[in-house]
């Protein structure tokens, strides 16, 4: 078997953009939490539990919901009064920076 060594990080550009996004948000005092997992693993249910806990100020929270095709999870967040943006990836399994 022939092995080809890749000596360049193919995600370099994405990491640069992610660092810029992180720096921008930090400068505005915004904390970003990236919650990811396979479809159906309980990410939205986990968020619902956190956001409905006693003492949580939902007015200070926003969710960017990435979904393969539907808006079902975003609708669940909106039902809790959370500002929500829906991103449909049209089949892509992840979002990049």
């Amino acid at each position: 078997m022939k092995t080809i060594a890749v000596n360049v990080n193919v995600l370099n550009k994405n990491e640069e953009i992610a660092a810029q996004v992180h720096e921008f948000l930090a400068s505005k005092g915004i904390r970003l939490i990236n919650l990811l997992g396979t479809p159906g693993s309980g990410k939205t249910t986990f968020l619902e539990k956190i956001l409905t806990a006693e003492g949580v100020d939902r007015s200070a929270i926003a969710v960017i919901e990435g979904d393969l095709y539907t808006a079902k999870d975003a609708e669940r967040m909106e039902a809790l009064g959370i500002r929500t943006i829906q991103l449909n990836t049209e089949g892509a399994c992840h979002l990049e920076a």
Side-chain angles (χ1 to χ4, degrees):
M1 167 177 50
K2 183 175 181 176
T3 301
I4 299 173
V6 178
N7 296 320
V8 176
N9 183 347
V10 295
L11 296 176
N12 274 345
K13 188 64 177 175
N14 187 66
E15 289 178 10
E16 290 174 21
I17 294 169
Q20 291 171 358
V21 169
H22 175 76
E23 189 175 311
F24 173 78
L25 294 174
S27 75
K28 304 287 185 194
I30 298 170
R31 180 179 299 165
L32 173 77
I33 299 171
N34 189 8
L35 183 61
L36 43 118
T38 59
S41 63
K43 300 174 298 294
T44 302
T45 300
F46 178 69
L47 275 177
E48 286 173 325
K49 298 290 185 191
I50 291 171
L51 297 173
T52 57
E54 195 172 318
V56 173
D57 179 7
R58 289 188 236 159
S59 68
I61 297 170
V63 171
I64 300 172
E65 184 67 56
D67 199 307
L68 296 171
Y69 297 106
T70 74
K72 291 179 182 177
D73 292 339
E75 291 166 357
R76 287 168 64 182
M77 292 294 103
E78 283 190 328
L80 296 175
I82 304 296
R83 291 173 292 165
T84 306
I85 296 173
Q86 172 64 44
L87 299 176
N88 284 102
T89 62
E90 298 181 1
C93 62
H94 69 283
L95 299 171
E96 296 189 18

